[in-house]
Amino acid sequence: MEYGEDVQDNTHRTELDDGRVVLAATPIGNTADASARLVTLLETADIVAAEDTRRLYDLARRLGVHVSGRVVAYHDHNERGKADSLLDEVASGATVLVVSDAGMPTINDPGLAIVRRAIERGLPVTCAPGPSAVLDALALSGLPTDRFCYEGFVPRKHAERMKRLRALAGEMRTIVFYETPHRIEETMNDLEEALGSSRLMALARELTKDYEEVRRGTISEIRESVVNNPPRGEIVLVIAGASEEEAVQAAGSSILSIDDLAQLAVRTAQNNNVRIKEAITQVVADNPLPDGSFMSRKDVYARVLDMKNSR
């Protein structure tokens, strides 16, 4: 069966008749992004575990939905303690709907504790997917989306923030962070110090809302825009991954340059009495780059030829 091929729709039977946990994404700004599935779950779930019950009822009002099930507060401070009692209800046949204030539960929001306990207890857990600030910002950034890493909120304290950013200096995947308006200028200063001024990035704010904005440019340009026109609202930062050269530089002496590999290949060929191309294949395979990829064998071979001709 091909991925995406239509299959029998068992949504109604599995979500409304069998006990299970359902993680449901809620709108991150625009109420119209709420799925029909979310509406049905809000109307029919036996229990709704909400990060903020007031926001849940406000969302239900805007959607014109009557929440018929029991509503319980389920947030960062009580999620571990409440997970098993909610799962006891699931074991008895109840549908427990988990929602956060915005976006997908477990992504910087409560939900992970009940998922882990459900898995440990062998109880069904599923998702009703939907809006995601991470994916929205990534798609709008114009930066590579085939490989990316999500790093949550930027650390609050300067020392911890610099430690995290320096550790990511050689990361070759696109990097996504959350940040708040009152810390964004400090973070942009630290980004420029840790990653340099010329790295491409995007700053997205108020996604899906009336004042949605995406600023694109170099770290230096975005930093300047933040100073001159401080952004408001919820912010997502999308930063280009390191180039091969930047990754090698960040890794320091543990990563061999093309020159190093070329010299090593020549020595390997001489010591092991093998052809230079075989030696290049061996040394390249033995010395992966920080992201797990490998230096180009053609580039290394070209450098070997340059060394030979320069003698």
Side-chain angles (χ1 to χ4, degrees):
M1 181 177 67
E2 296 294 329
Y3 183 80
E5 183 179 332
D6 289 340
V7 296
Q8 183 179 356
D9 185 359
N10 291 319
T11 301
H12 182 80
R13 179 184 62 79
T14 58
E15 289 183 358
L16 304 187
D17 296 339
D18 299 336
R20 65 186 49 236
V21 176
V22 184
L23 307 176
T26 54
I28 59 176
N30 193 322
T31 306
D33 290 335
S35 68
R37 190 176 175 193
L38 172 63
V39 170
T40 298
L41 287 163
L42 288 171
E43 292 175 333
T44 57
D46 301 295
I47 301 171
V48 180
E51 183 179 10
D52 186 320
T53 57
R54 291 171 299 180
R55 292 195 181 188
L56 168 68
Y57 284 121
D58 179 63
L59 173 63
R61 177 187 58 77
R62 286 184 278 126
L63 293 174
V65 172
H66 172 67
V67 180
S68 59
R70 177 162 58 93
V71 175
V72 299
Y74 188 71
H75 45 72
D76 288 335
H77 302 294
N78 72 359
E79 65 167 324
R80 290 185 180 180
K82 284 199 171 182
D84 271 309
S85 62
L86 290 171
L87 291 172
D88 289 342
E89 301 279 0
V90 171
S92 298
T95 294
V96 174
L97 176 65
V98 180
V99 294
S100 59
D101 292 344
M104 176 61 71
T106 77
I107 309 299
N108 271 105
D109 283 324
L112 183 57
I114 197 169
V115 171
R116 284 179 170 172
R117 284 296 293 144
I119 294 170
E120 290 170 357
R121 294 178 57 171
L123 295 170
V125 57
T126 189
C127 280
S132 166
V134 172
L135 297 181
D136 198 341
L138 183 66
L140 293 174
S141 70
L143 297 171
T145 60
D146 54 336
R147 299 181 67 223
F148 70 94
C149 61
Y150 170 60
E151 289 287 323
F153 277 97
V154 180
R156 296 182 180 184
K157 297 181 179 180
H158 170 71
E160 295 176 359
R161 189 163 56 239
M162 287 301 299
K163 181 179 180 181
R164 174 82 67 84
L165 294 177
R166 288 192 181 109
L168 290 168
E171 174 58 67
M172 299 179 75
R173 295 171 295 178
T174 301
I175 306 164
V176 185
F177 276 114
Y178 282 160
E179 189 50 291
T180 59
H182 64 278
R183 288 198 300 269
I184 184 61
E185 185 173 342
E186 296 176 7
T187 291
M188 289 307 308
N189 291 337
D190 290 349
L191 273 172
E192 187 166 27
E193 181 179 346
L195 305 183
S197 60
S198 60
R199 185 86 66 96
L200 293 176
M201 69 167 294
L203 182 154
R205 71 178 190 92
E206 296 292 84
L207 289 169
T208 77
K209 300 177 183 177
D210 291 340
Y211 296 100
E212 174 180 289
E213 178 188 18
V214 182
R215 306 180 188 183
R216 304 174 183 89
T218 64
I219 288 178
S220 178
E221 290 168 342
I222 301 300
R223 186 195 66 78
E224 185 176 355
S225 80
V226 164
V227 172
N228 296 332
N229 181 20
R232 298 179 180 180
E234 298 176 350
I235 296 170
V236 186
L237 303 176
V238 186
I239 306 159
S243 66
E244 188 174 285
E245 182 180 352
E246 289 170 329
V248 170
Q249 183 177 0
S253 59
S254 62
I255 299 299
L256 299 182
S257 66
I258 288 181
D259 282 354
D260 294 332
L261 290 173
Q263 293 170 9
L264 179 58
V266 171
R267 292 197 301 270
T268 300
Q270 293 172 345
N271 295 338
N272 297 338
N273 195 28
V274 296
R275 294 168 54 192
I276 188 63
K277 288 188 176 181
E278 293 179 26
I280 289 173
T281 298
Q282 178 182 331
V283 299
V284 167
D286 290 342
N287 294 276
L289 294 170
D291 69 339
S293 64
F294 298 92
M295 199 76 77
S296 167
R297 287 178 295 177
K298 289 183 179 180
D299 290 343
V300 176
Y301 183 66
R303 186 67 189 109
V304 168
L305 294 180
D306 289 341
M307 291 165 53
K308 181 178 180 180
N309 293 331
S310 65
R311 290 174 181 174

